[in-house]
PDB file of all heavy atoms in Angstrom:
ATOM      1  N   ILE A1310     -11.670  10.332 -32.814  1.00 93.00           N
ATOM      2  CA  ILE A1310     -10.774   9.977 -33.922  1.00 93.00           C
ATOM      3  C   ILE A1310     -11.414  10.463 -35.218  1.00 93.00           C
ATOM      4  O   ILE A1310     -12.557  10.095 -35.541  1.00 93.00           O
ATOM      5  CB  ILE A1310     -10.522   8.469 -33.981  1.00 93.00           C
ATOM      6  CG1 ILE A1310      -9.913   7.988 -32.648  1.00 93.00           C
ATOM      7  CG2 ILE A1310      -9.608   8.120 -35.141  1.00 93.00           C
ATOM      8  CD1 ILE A1310      -9.731   6.488 -32.574  1.00 93.00           C
ATOM      9  N   MET A1311     -10.705  11.278 -35.942  1.00 93.00           N
ATOM     10  CA  MET A1311     -11.204  11.836 -37.200  1.00 93.00           C
ATOM     11  C   MET A1311     -10.413  11.227 -38.362  1.00 93.00           C
ATOM     12  O   MET A1311      -9.194  11.403 -38.459  1.00 93.00           O
ATOM     13  CB  MET A1311     -11.041  13.364 -37.194  1.00 93.00           C
ATOM     14  CG  MET A1311     -11.651  14.069 -38.387  1.00 93.00           C
ATOM     15  SD  MET A1311     -11.660  15.868 -38.164  1.00 93.00           S
ATOM     16  CE  MET A1311      -9.901  16.227 -38.162  1.00 93.00           C
ATOM     17  N   TYR A1312     -11.105  10.471 -39.217  1.00 92.00           N
ATOM     18  CA  TYR A1312     -10.467   9.815 -40.354  1.00 92.00           C
ATOM     19  C   TYR A1312     -10.508  10.748 -41.555  1.00 92.00           C
ATOM     20  O   TYR A1312     -11.586  11.170 -41.992  1.00 92.00           O
ATOM     21  CB  TYR A1312     -11.167   8.494 -40.663  1.00 92.00           C
ATOM     22  CG  TYR A1312     -10.955   7.448 -39.591  1.00 92.00           C
ATOM     23  CD1 TYR A1312     -11.823   7.343 -38.509  1.00 92.00           C
ATOM     24  CD2 TYR A1312      -9.863   6.588 -39.649  1.00 92.00           C
ATOM     25  CE1 TYR A1312     -11.621   6.402 -37.510  1.00 92.00           C
ATOM     26  CE2 TYR A1312      -9.654   5.632 -38.665  1.00 92.00           C
ATOM     27  CZ  TYR A1312     -10.535   5.549 -37.595  1.00 92.00           C
ATOM     28  OH  TYR A1312     -10.324   4.613 -36.613  1.00 92.00           O
ATOM     29  N   ILE A1313      -9.330  11.048 -42.084  1.00 91.00           N
ATOM     30  CA  ILE A1313      -9.195  12.020 -43.171  1.00 91.00           C
ATOM     31  C   ILE A1313      -8.784  11.286 -44.439  1.00 91.00           C
ATOM     32  O   ILE A1313      -7.916  10.397 -44.412  1.00 91.00           O
ATOM     33  CB  ILE A1313      -8.146  13.094 -42.810  1.00 91.00           C
ATOM     34  CG1 ILE A1313      -8.536  13.771 -41.489  1.00 91.00           C
ATOM     35  CG2 ILE A1313      -8.003  14.122 -43.921  1.00 91.00           C
ATOM     36  CD1 ILE A1313      -7.467  14.678 -40.938  1.00 91.00           C
ATOM     37  N   SER A1314      -9.392  11.669 -45.529  1.00 87.00           N
ATOM     38  CA  SER A1314      -9.141  11.001 -46.810  1.00 87.00           C
ATOM     39  C   SER A1314      -7.761  11.337 -47.355  1.00 87.00           C
ATOM     40  O   SER A1314      -7.319  12.489 -47.292  1.00 87.00           O
ATOM     41  CB  SER A1314     -10.205  11.415 -47.826  1.00 87.00           C
ATOM     42  OG  SER A1314      -9.891  10.917 -49.105  1.00 87.00           O
ATOM     43  N   LYS A1315      -7.082  10.301 -47.877  1.00 79.00           N
ATOM     44  CA  LYS A1315      -5.829  10.486 -48.602  1.00 79.00           C
ATOM     45  C   LYS A1315      -6.078  10.546 -50.106  1.00 79.00           C
ATOM     46  O   LYS A1315      -5.135  10.588 -50.899  1.00 79.00           O
ATOM     47  CB  LYS A1315      -4.864   9.343 -48.293  1.00 79.00           C
ATOM     48  CG  LYS A1315      -4.456   9.274 -46.828  1.00 79.00           C
ATOM     49  CD  LYS A1315      -3.452   8.173 -46.572  1.00 79.00           C
ATOM     50  CE  LYS A1315      -2.111   8.514 -47.207  1.00 79.00           C
ATOM     51  NZ  LYS A1315      -1.065   7.531 -46.839  1.00 79.00           N
ATOM     52  N   GLY A1316      -7.357  10.547 -50.433  1.00 75.00           N
ATOM     53  CA  GLY A1316      -7.721  10.600 -51.846  1.00 75.00           C
ATOM     54  C   GLY A1316      -7.835   9.209 -52.447  1.00 75.00           C
ATOM     55  O   GLY A1316      -7.642   8.197 -51.772  1.00 75.00           O
ATOM     56  N   MET A1317      -8.172   9.180 -53.733  1.00 66.00           N
ATOM     57  CA  MET A1317      -8.291   7.918 -54.452  1.00 66.00           C
ATOM     58  C   MET A1317      -7.025   7.708 -55.270  1.00 66.00           C
ATOM     59  O   MET A1317      -6.719   8.476 -56.181  1.00 66.00           O
ATOM     60  CB  MET A1317      -9.516   7.937 -55.372  1.00 66.00           C
ATOM     61  CG  MET A1317     -10.837   8.080 -54.632  1.00 66.00           C
ATOM     62  SD  MET A1317     -11.219   6.628 -53.635  1.00 66.00           S
ATOM     63  CE  MET A1317     -11.511   5.433 -54.928  1.00 66.00           C
ATOM     64  N   ASN A1318      -6.246   6.686 -54.940  1.00 58.00           N
ATOM     65  CA  ASN A1318      -4.989   6.419 -55.631  1.00 58.00           C
ATOM     66  C   ASN A1318      -4.949   4.945 -55.992  1.00 58.00           C
ATOM     67  O   ASN A1318      -4.868   4.086 -55.124  1.00 58.00           O
ATOM     68  CB  ASN A1318      -3.801   6.786 -54.739  1.00 58.00           C
ATOM     69  CG  ASN A1318      -2.477   6.673 -55.479  1.00 58.00           C
ATOM     70  OD1 ASN A1318      -2.400   6.092 -56.554  1.00 58.00           O
ATOM     71  ND2 ASN A1318      -1.437   7.246 -54.886  1.00 58.00           N
ATOM     72  N   SER A1319      -4.972   4.681 -57.297  1.00 55.00           N
ATOM     73  CA  SER A1319      -5.025   3.285 -57.739  1.00 55.00           C
ATOM     74  C   SER A1319      -3.741   2.538 -57.436  1.00 55.00           C
ATOM     75  O   SER A1319      -3.717   1.318 -57.348  1.00 55.00           O
ATOM     76  CB  SER A1319      -5.310   3.217 -59.250  1.00 55.00           C
ATOM     77  OG  SER A1319      -4.313   3.932 -59.972  1.00 55.00           O
ATOM     78  N   ASP A1320      -2.621   3.298 -57.255  1.00 64.00           N
ATOM     79  CA  ASP A1320      -1.347   2.655 -56.956  1.00 64.00           C
ATOM     80  C   ASP A1320      -1.123   2.449 -55.457  1.00 64.00           C
ATOM     81  O   ASP A1320      -0.136   1.851 -55.056  1.00 64.00           O
ATOM     82  CB  ASP A1320      -0.194   3.499 -57.519  1.00 64.00           C
ATOM     83  CG  ASP A1320      -0.227   3.551 -59.043  1.00 64.00           C
ATOM     84  OD1 ASP A1320      -0.713   2.576 -59.640  1.00 64.00           O
ATOM     85  OD2 ASP A1320       0.202   4.571 -59.609  1.00 64.00           O
ATOM     86  N   ALA A1321      -2.011   2.987 -54.628  1.00 71.00           N
ATOM     87  CA  ALA A1321      -1.838   2.887 -53.179  1.00 71.00           C
ATOM     88  C   ALA A1321      -2.118   1.464 -52.703  1.00 71.00           C
ATOM     89  O   ALA A1321      -3.022   0.793 -53.198  1.00 71.00           O
ATOM     90  CB  ALA A1321      -2.751   3.870 -52.463  1.00 71.00           C
ATOM     91  N   ILE A1322      -1.333   1.025 -51.743  1.00 81.00           N
ATOM     92  CA  ILE A1322      -1.468  -0.328 -51.200  1.00 81.00           C
ATOM     93  C   ILE A1322      -1.712  -0.225 -49.701  1.00 81.00           C
ATOM     94  O   ILE A1322      -0.914   0.351 -48.974  1.00 81.00           O
ATOM     95  CB  ILE A1322      -0.197  -1.155 -51.463  1.00 81.00           C
ATOM     96  CG1 ILE A1322       0.109  -1.213 -52.963  1.00 81.00           C
ATOM     97  CG2 ILE A1322      -0.333  -2.549 -50.864  1.00 81.00           C
ATOM     98  CD1 ILE A1322       1.481  -1.762 -53.269  1.00 81.00           C
ATOM     99  N   VAL A1323      -2.857  -0.745 -49.242  1.00 81.00           N
ATOM    100  CA  VAL A1323      -3.172  -0.752 -47.816  1.00 81.00           C
ATOM    101  C   VAL A1323      -2.539  -1.996 -47.193  1.00 81.00           C
ATOM    102  O   VAL A1323      -2.825  -3.122 -47.603  1.00 81.00           O
ATOM    103  CB  VAL A1323      -4.691  -0.753 -47.576  1.00 81.00           C
ATOM    104  CG1 VAL A1323      -4.984  -0.763 -46.080  1.00 81.00           C
ATOM    105  CG2 VAL A1323      -5.335   0.454 -48.231  1.00 81.00           C
ATOM    106  N   ILE A1324      -1.669  -1.789 -46.217  1.00 88.00           N
ATOM    107  CA  ILE A1324      -0.913  -2.879 -45.610  1.00 88.00           C
ATOM    108  C   ILE A1324      -1.794  -3.661 -44.633  1.00 88.00           C
ATOM    109  O   ILE A1324      -2.523  -3.082 -43.834  1.00 88.00           O
ATOM    110  CB  ILE A1324       0.329  -2.344 -44.877  1.00 88.00           C
ATOM    111  CG1 ILE A1324       1.224  -1.594 -45.864  1.00 88.00           C
ATOM    112  CG2 ILE A1324       1.106  -3.482 -44.214  1.00 88.00           C
ATOM    113  CD1 ILE A1324       1.685  -2.448 -47.037  1.00 88.00           C
ATOM    114  N   GLN A1325      -1.702  -4.975 -44.724  1.00 88.00           N
ATOM    115  CA  GLN A1325      -2.427  -5.845 -43.809  1.00 88.00           C
ATOM    116  C   GLN A1325      -1.548  -6.210 -42.610  1.00 88.00           C
ATOM    117  O   GLN A1325      -0.333  -6.013 -42.631  1.00 88.00           O
ATOM    118  CB  GLN A1325      -2.853  -7.132 -44.520  1.00 88.00           C
ATOM    119  CG  GLN A1325      -3.810  -6.932 -45.678  1.00 88.00           C
ATOM    120  CD  GLN A1325      -4.281  -8.252 -46.226  1.00 88.00           C
ATOM    121  OE1 GLN A1325      -4.599  -9.167 -45.476  1.00 88.00           O
ATOM    122  NE2 GLN A1325      -4.337  -8.360 -47.549  1.00 88.00           N
ATOM    123  N   ASP A1326      -2.190  -6.754 -41.599  1.00 91.00           N
ATOM    124  CA  ASP A1326      -1.465  -7.262 -40.434  1.00 91.00           C
ATOM    125  C   ASP A1326      -0.988  -8.671 -40.753  1.00 91.00           C
ATOM    126  O   ASP A1326      -1.775  -9.619 -40.822  1.00 91.00           O
ATOM    127  CB  ASP A1326      -2.377  -7.269 -39.207  1.00 91.00           C
ATOM    128  CG  ASP A1326      -1.629  -7.692 -37.937  1.00 91.00           C
ATOM    129  OD1 ASP A1326      -0.421  -7.992 -38.022  1.00 91.00           O
ATOM    130  OD2 ASP A1326      -2.264  -7.716 -36.866  1.00 91.00           O
ATOM    131  N   MET A1327       0.320  -8.811 -40.957  1.00 93.00           N
ATOM    132  CA  MET A1327       0.883 -10.101 -41.361  1.00 93.00           C
ATOM    133  C   MET A1327       1.623 -10.806 -40.227  1.00 93.00           C
ATOM    134  O   MET A1327       2.229 -11.857 -40.447  1.00 93.00           O
ATOM    135  CB  MET A1327       1.828  -9.887 -42.556  1.00 93.00           C
ATOM    136  CG  MET A1327       1.100  -9.436 -43.822  1.00 93.00           C
ATOM    137  SD  MET A1327       2.217  -9.028 -45.182  1.00 93.00           S
ATOM    138  CE  MET A1327       2.783  -7.414 -44.664  1.00 93.00           C
ATOM    139  N   VAL A1328       1.595 -10.240 -39.037  1.00 93.00           N
ATOM    140  CA  VAL A1328       2.237 -10.886 -37.885  1.00 93.00           C
ATOM    141  C   VAL A1328       1.509 -12.193 -37.583  1.00 93.00           C
ATOM    142  O   VAL A1328       0.281 -12.230 -37.466  1.00 93.00           O
ATOM    143  CB  VAL A1328       2.216  -9.967 -36.647  1.00 93.00           C
ATOM    144  CG1 VAL A1328       2.734 -10.708 -35.426  1.00 93.00           C
ATOM    145  CG2 VAL A1328       3.025  -8.707 -36.902  1.00 93.00           C
ATOM    146  N   GLY A1329       2.286 -13.276 -37.483  1.00 91.00           N
ATOM    147  CA  GLY A1329       1.703 -14.594 -37.264  1.00 91.00           C
ATOM    148  C   GLY A1329       1.639 -15.427 -38.530  1.00 91.00           C
ATOM    149  O   GLY A1329       1.429 -16.638 -38.477  1.00 91.00           O
TER     150      GLY A1329
END
Side-chain angles (χ1 to χ4, degrees):
I1310 302 175
M1311 186 170 66
Y1312 291 89
I1313 304 171
S1314 173
K1315 297 183 69 173
M1317 297 293 292
N1318 187 346
S1319 58
D1320 295 331
I1322 303 168
V1323 180
I1324 301 302
Q1325 297 186 43
D1326 184 359
M1327 293 174 283
V1328 173

